[in-house]
């Protein structure tokens, strides 16, 4: 995933960027980000000479994005299945709707579990600043 944004803060190698520049993330349909300019952090691992207000390109590998999506979605799905089965075992006469309700409860608890886990232990795959962009040149096609 590539995105273009403007640097708003630099702290060591951590750079705070406001996205939504030049159409935002390529291939993304998130109008909220494009309209309001999502603020996020990235790492300057390449040691680029960055300045406040500069336009930069940020990249997150497809593998990191896929693995993070897998880790966010798997626990709620497993919790849905477990709660669905648990209602069936604890209450053998329960209707399909009651089992599904138990599954939905598990799904919600799974998402809250992932949320609080990520708050305590953030993902290590952060975006990386790949290059600075001259505002007159078009974005690179990778």
């Amino acid at each position: 995933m590539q995105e273009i944004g403007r640097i708003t803060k630099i702290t060591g190698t951590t750079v705070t960027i406001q996205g939504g520049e030049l159409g935002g993330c390529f291939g993304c349909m998130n109008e909220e980000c494009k309209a309001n300019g999502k603020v996020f952090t990235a790492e300057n691992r390449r040691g680029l000479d960055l300045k406040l207000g500069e336009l930069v390109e940020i990249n997150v590998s497809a593998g990191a994005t896929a693995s993070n999506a897998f880790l966010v979605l798997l626990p709620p799905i497993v919790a849905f299945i477990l709660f669905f089965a648990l209602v069936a075992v604890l209450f053998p006469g329960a209707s399909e709707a009651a089992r599904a309700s138990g599954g939905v409860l598990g799904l919600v608890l799974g998402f809250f579990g992932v949320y609080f886990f990520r708050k305590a232990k953030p993902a290590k795959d952060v975006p990386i600043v790949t290059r600075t962009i001259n505002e007159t040149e078009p974005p690179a096609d990778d």
Side-chain angles (χ1 to χ4, degrees):
M1 176 182 90
Q2 290 181 331
E3 186 167 338
I4 295 173
R6 193 165 303 278
I7 298 174
T8 59
K9 182 179 176 185
I10 301 173
T11 308
T13 60
T14 303
V15 182
T16 303
I17 297 166
Q18 181 162 3
E21 294 280 340
L22 300 177
C25 180
F26 301 109
C28 179
M29 296 304 192
N30 187 352
E31 293 300 323
E32 171 77 18
C33 180
K34 291 177 185 176
N36 297 330
K38 176 183 166 192
V39 175
F40 56 94
T41 59
E43 290 293 319
N44 182 12
R45 293 187 185 158
R46 295 183 176 181
L48 300 172
D49 184 28
L50 302 175
K51 298 171 189 70
L52 289 177
E54 198 166 32
L55 203 58
V56 291
E57 182 178 84
I58 301 93
N59 192 1
V60 177
S61 72
T65 302
S67 68
N68 282 333
F70 182 74
L71 292 174
V72 166
L73 295 175
L74 184 63
I77 291 170
V78 169
F80 176 90
I81 294 167
L82 289 175
F83 275 65
F84 185 92
L86 188 64
V87 170
V89 169
L90 294 177
F91 307 101
S95 67
E96 194 71 22
R99 293 177 189 170
S101 296
V104 170
L105 175 64
L107 187 73
V108 169
L109 292 175
F111 277 118
F112 275 118
V114 169
Y115 173 77
F116 288 118
F117 177 76
R118 282 298 180 201
K119 289 285 274 184
K121 189 175 189 293
K124 293 182 181 179
D125 299 321
V126 296
I128 298 170
V129 177
T130 54
R131 68 185 184 109
T132 59
I133 295 177
N134 181 340
E135 294 193 45
T136 59
E137 75 179 70
D141 292 330
D142 287 335

